Amino acid sequence: MKNNIKELRKNKKLRQEDLAEELGVTRQTVIAIENNKYDPTLELAMKISEFFGLSVNDIFHLK
């Protein structure tokens, strides 16, 4: 699954550490998600979508 989290994060001028803290995960988790190495749980995907004010479908895309 692909995503546009890196672009969304940069648009908000957030560091990976900042986003990780907001979501309650580690920086390594944010890095893995941004690099499409890890698909987040549904709960985490929903937290990400709520944080950015977008739907899950606007952030995550099937390959």
Side-chain angles (χ1 to χ4, degrees):
M1 184 162 47
K2 293 190 176 203
N3 66 74
N4 58 348
I5 293 173
K6 188 173 190 174
E7 295 82 18
L8 294 169
R9 176 179 59 76
K10 286 185 173 189
N11 286 343
K12 284 192 171 245
K13 298 184 181 357
L14 293 172
R15 299 174 305 157
Q16 290 169 328
E17 295 88 358
D18 301 328
L19 181 57
E21 189 175 312
E22 287 287 335
L23 299 173
V25 299
T26 65
R27 178 175 172 257
Q28 288 77 16
T29 300
V30 171
I31 291 168
I33 294 170
E34 285 185 353
N35 290 324
N36 300 305
K37 304 267 185 208
Y38 171 71
D39 292 336
T41 62
L42 179 57
E43 179 181 1
L44 182 52
M46 292 179 79
K47 282 183 183 179
I48 292 167
S49 112
E50 188 174 292
F51 177 79
F52 287 111
L54 298 168
S55 74
V56 172
N57 288 336
D58 288 336
I59 298 172
F60 297 95
H61 314 280
L62 294 176
K63 291 182 183 177

